[in-house]
Amino acid sequence: MCGRFTLKRADKLRLERLETAGLFNVPPRYNIAPTQKVLAVTETNETRVLSLLQWGLIPSWSRTPTGFINARAETLETKSSFKESFEKRRCLIPADGFYEWEKLGKVKQPHYFRLKSDEPFFFAGIWDEWRLDGVSIASCAIVTTGPNGLLENIHDRMPAILAADALDTWLRRSAKPDELRELLGPYPEAEIESYPVSERVNAAQVDDASLVERIDPKDEVRSGMLF
């Protein structure tokens, strides 16, 4: 599961054959949530384009605009909602961190995960375009995989973060399914760090730098401040 993520410094993104000058005007995001617009990189005839897609993939054949925010790596080739997009419409979704929630009795404590380098990275994604009665929605989903050792005590899934040398393969239209499957394992835990953050992240309308600050959960309970 990946339900919230960040992109604080879009201008730091680096990808071959992608024009990044416009990224200097992208505002920092600290709480990107489902149904919102997210940046995504697609490739056609070796031309790479940065677009805004709605987070929540709506299959082109769907009768209603109901989306999937995540697509399990294990079912990309078999689930009808994902199969054609996996074969023909893969994308990169840039981020520099994501949130997961740890169940502590009746409480869910959010944790923030990022690379130890604090550099941006790319999630594996798929996309589609839904049309009906003159309405068109281009949308995407983040591929998820099993957890690494850092996440396994918090959640049984994690977003599929692509290694730098896997980006070209994921975008390449001619890539074979077995090549693509090899890219979707858990990201090495030695390269990731995490820490607890405020429950204010639970509210999608809250989007400020304080959300990624480390907290002591006991202090937040004592203060009684959630939002």
Side-chain angles (χ1 to χ4, degrees), residues 88-214:
K88 301 178 181 179
R89 293 182 294 274
R90 296 180 297 277
C91 63
L92 303 175
I93 300 172
D96 47 28
F98 62 94
Y99 301 94
E100 287 294 356
W101 281 257
E102 179 183 16
K103 292 183 180 179
L104 300 173
K106 296 182 179 180
V107 177
K108 289 186 177 181
Q109 173 61 53
H111 292 256
Y112 184 59
F113 293 82
R114 66 182 184 187
L115 298 187
K116 290 180 178 179
S117 65
D118 201 24
E119 291 296 312
F121 51 81
F122 292 94
F123 295 132
I126 56 175
W127 70 279
D128 206 341
E129 187 166 8
W130 179 86
R131 296 185 181 92
L132 184 67
D133 297 334
V135 176
S136 175
I137 302 175
S139 59
C140 63
I142 295 172
V143 178
T144 66
T145 187
N148 62 22
L150 187 63
L151 271 108
E152 62 184 359
N153 293 325
I154 294 177
H155 202 282
D156 61 357
R157 306 292 296 175
M158 71 176 293
I161 299 172
L162 295 171
D165 60 1
L167 303 178
D168 290 348
T169 302
W170 185 256
L171 286 178
R172 193 175 70 241
R173 179 71 178 269
S174 61
K176 304 299 183 185
D178 57 342
E179 291 181 274
L180 298 169
R181 282 193 297 270
E182 291 179 0
L183 308 179
L184 300 177
Y187 200 79
E189 61 186 278
E191 298 181 30
I192 296 180
E193 63 182 6
S194 72
Y195 51 84
V197 294
S198 172
E199 291 184 29
R200 294 176 67 245
V201 73
N202 294 345
Q205 69 270 24
V206 179
D207 190 348
D208 61 62
S210 69
L211 297 182
V212 298
E213 295 176 359
R214 183 189 301 267

Side-chain angles (χ1 to χ4, degrees), residues 5-8 26-33 36-37 96 207:
F5 67 96
T6 66
L7 184 57
K8 307 183 295 290
V26 176
R29 297 295 311 280
Y30 300 92
N31 195 10
I32 301 171
Q36 295 178 357
K37 297 289 187 179
D96 47 28
D207 190 348

Side-chain angles (χ1 to χ4, degrees), residues 47-66:
T47 298
R48 292 178 176 174
V49 178
L50 189 66
S51 305
L52 284 172
L53 303 180
Q54 179 173 298
W55 184 14
L57 183 138
I58 307 168
S60 59
W61 45 261
S62 178
R63 294 184 178 181
T64 60
T66 302

